[in-house]
Amino acid sequence: DAGVTQSPTHLIKTRGQQVTLRCSPKSGHDTVSWYQQALGQGPQFIFQYYEEEERQRGNFPDRFSGHQFPNYSSELNVNALLLGDSALYLCASSSKLLALRFNEQFFGPGTRLTVL
Amino acid sequence: GQQLNQSPQSMFIQEGEDVSMNCTSSSIFNTWLWYKQDPGEGPVLLIALYKAGELTSNGRLTAQFGITRKDSFLNISASIPSDVGIYFCAGNPLRSSGTYKYIFGTGTRLKVLA
């Protein structure tokens, strides 16, 4: 049973560019959440996707957008990259059906984004 | 962004010692999760807590959901070198019940001296 997978592992971009990160949730999961983790800090919630729609959003600008596909996989897009966007981007998967009883989420290995 | 207060920030302990760390919030939470993160990797779920006062164990790890619902504690008994890493608490606020919008703590960096 594959866990949460993310691609690419590492990415280097320059300011102003756009980036797309990808995530495949754990088998049987239908909800994907994205987090940004700056160096030395805890993950910060960006947004969450369920049934191909954004359901919850954290305090991130509109430059951060996403998408969820019918197979539950998801993409995170960041436009007009800033130096401060350099971070580890984590995807977490979970099951909406279990949300009210077993509110667990499982993380992928992350994508390390460096903006120069 | 909002983060939970986690303490201690870091700790050096001898192998075999017990470890305690905690996480506090000004808000009420309905779920607490504890994760361990190794360098360059994603957090790994250790323990999940769902009810105030709940005490749950996973091997040498024991965590408790505070009675006030505003804090949680993690204990590691008889630490070993592979316990080294960063431990994060994550809380699901009551107002976000049924979602997976978690707020994370600032992390406790644990180093174990053999």
Side-chain angles (χ1 to χ4, degrees), chain A residues 31 33 35 37 40-45 48 56-58 88 90 94-96 98-110, chain B residues 1-3 30-31 33 35 37 40-45 48 50 88 90 92 96-107 109:
Chain A
T31 302
S33 302
Y35 288 80
Q37 186 177 25
Q41 297 185 20
Q44 295 281 331
F45 179 83
Q48 177 188 98
Q56 297 271 338
R57 189 176 183 94
L88 181 68
L90 295 163
S94 47
S95 168
K96 195 67 172 177
L98 298 176
L100 292 177
R101 291 187 56 212
F102 301 108
N103 212 8
E104 301 173 356
Q105 59 181 357
F106 298 87
F107 282 88
Chain B
Q2 183 183 2
Q3 288 199 305
N30 71 335
T31 303
L33 304 179
Y35 288 90
Q37 186 175 28
E41 299 183 13
V44 174
L45 183 64
Y50 299 106
F88 288 102
N92 183 229
S96 299
S97 290
T99 76
Y100 290 99
K101 184 177 181 179
Y102 277 90
I103 300 171
F104 275 74
T106 48
R109 287 147 185 78

Side-chain angles (χ1 to χ4, degrees), chain A residues 17-71:
Chain A
Q17 285 190 310
Q18 180 263 344
V19 69
T20 297
L21 311 182
R22 296 175 176 82
C23 170
S24 289
K26 198 171 150 65
S27 177
H29 284 183
D30 55 12
T31 302
V32 173
S33 302
W34 287 91
Y35 288 80
Q36 180 195 65
Q37 186 177 25
L39 202 61
Q41 297 185 20
Q44 295 281 331
F45 179 83
I46 302 175
F47 45 51
Q48 177 188 98
Y49 277 82
Y50 171 66
E51 290 186 328
E52 302 179 47
E53 289 189 15
E54 183 182 299
R55 301 291 179 169
Q56 297 271 338
R57 189 176 183 94
N59 190 25
F60 280 80
D62 292 344
R63 298 187 297 108
F64 290 77
S65 63
H67 189 77
Q68 185 178 35
F69 300 93
N71 67 352

Side-chain angles (χ1 to χ4, degrees), chain A residues 73-110:
Chain A
S73 66
S74 177
E75 288 182 350
L76 164 66
N77 301 295
V78 187
N79 294 322
L81 284 168
L82 304 174
L83 295 179
D85 294 333
S86 295
L88 181 68
Y89 287 85
L90 295 163
C91 166
S93 86
S94 47
S95 168
K96 195 67 172 177
L97 284 177
L98 298 176
L100 292 177
R101 291 187 56 212
F102 301 108
N103 212 8
E104 301 173 356
Q105 59 181 357
F106 298 87
F107 282 88

Side-chain angles (χ1 to χ4, degrees), chain B residues 1 15 24 30 32 35 38 63 69 75 77 89 91 95 101 108:
Chain B
E15 183 177 359
T24 59
N30 71 335
W32 285 97
Y35 288 90
D38 292 328
R69 303 177 75 177
N75 295 310
S77 62
C89 60
R95 65 182 181 277
K101 184 177 181 179
T108 293

Side-chain angles (χ1 to χ4, degrees), chain B residues 28-81:
Chain B
I28 292 175
F29 285 71
N30 71 335
T31 303
W32 285 97
L33 304 179
W34 283 93
Y35 288 90
K36 177 175 181 278
Q37 186 175 28
D38 292 328
E41 299 183 13
V44 174
L45 183 64
L46 300 173
I47 291 180
L49 301 161
Y50 299 106
K51 296 193 313 185
E54 180 181 355
L55 189 71
T56 298
S57 294
N58 177 8
R60 293 179 298 105
L61 277 61
T62 302
Q64 184 163 24
F65 195 138
I67 291 176
T68 66
R69 303 177 75 177
K70 294 182 178 181
D71 54 11
S72 182
F73 308 87
L74 176 69
N75 295 310
I76 305 173
S77 62
S79 58
I80 59 178

